[in-house]
Amino acid sequence: MNARDRDVDGRARNARPRDGLGRPLGYGAPGVERQPEGVVRSPAETVREAQRLLDAGMPFHAHEVFEDAWKSGPGAAAPLWRGLAQLAVGLTHAARGNAVGGARLLRRGADGIEGLAGAPYGVDVPGLVRWARELAGRVERPGPAVDAAREAPRLGGAPPA
């Protein structure tokens, strides 16, 4: 094996397996399948896939779905997808026990999407802003790390059956 793992294009890419919160595990350890990168989805597919991952307690993987939308979608939609990616990473850090980083990213994501007009792609922006700010306040208080699946936000629409 090379000193550094590389992808097919020769870019450095850590090939270690990851857990459900995206933390690297030892080589050979069973891990969670990684989210494929660079997938172009419709906005509805992005929201649906990210919600599935959030509900499964995998916000790190959901952030990768939002990043794909941010990088491949129209520039006008970038603030939404970037903000949602930051919310997912904030939840990831909070679930990993990083209260400072989690709260900071939750607030940054909320600031980034606050004020977006309407409900872009059916996303409940005001509800997500409230959720993020409330969770940021809770994770800053002493206590255990949050449970990512239990704290998963609803991006929009009806809750799962």
Side-chain angles (χ1 to χ4, degrees), residues 53-109:
L53 293 164
L54 288 166
D55 292 344
M58 297 170 49
F60 178 81
H61 296 77
H63 114 272
E64 292 177 332
V65 170
F66 291 133
E67 275 192 352
D68 284 342
W70 169 14
K71 293 174 182 176
S72 68
L80 173 69
W81 302 127
R82 180 177 49 246
L84 293 175
Q86 290 169 330
L87 294 179
V89 173
L91 178 56
T92 299
H93 281 284
R96 290 177 177 177
N98 176 1
V100 172
R104 185 173 293 140
L105 281 160
L106 286 163
R107 288 192 179 103
R108 186 179 302 153

Side-chain angles (χ1 to χ4, degrees), residues 2-124:
N2 293 339
R4 295 183 75 184
D5 299 328
R6 302 226 173 247
D7 66 14
V8 296
D9 296 322
R11 291 185 303 254
R13 185 83 61 199
N14 190 322
R16 289 170 52 187
R18 303 236 175 204
D19 72 4
L21 292 174
R23 292 175 289 217
L25 302 170
Y27 287 103
V32 173
E33 187 172 331
R34 291 181 133 182
Q35 198 60 32
E37 292 182 45
V39 176
V40 177
R41 299 174 181 87
S42 72
E45 290 168 330
T46 296
V47 171
R48 191 170 36 255
E49 179 64 5
Q51 187 69 66
R52 182 187 72 76
L53 293 164
L54 288 166
D55 292 344
M58 297 170 49
F60 178 81
H61 296 77
H63 114 272
E64 292 177 332
V65 170
F66 291 133
E67 275 192 352
D68 284 342
W70 169 14
K71 293 174 182 176
S72 68
L80 173 69
W81 302 127
R82 180 177 49 246
L84 293 175
Q86 290 169 330
L87 294 179
V89 173
L91 178 56
T92 299
H93 281 284
R96 290 177 177 177
N98 176 1
V100 172
R104 185 173 293 140
L105 281 160
L106 286 163
R107 288 192 179 103
R108 186 179 302 153
D111 290 346
I113 64 172
E114 187 174 42
L116 293 178
Y121 308 119
V123 173
D124 177 12

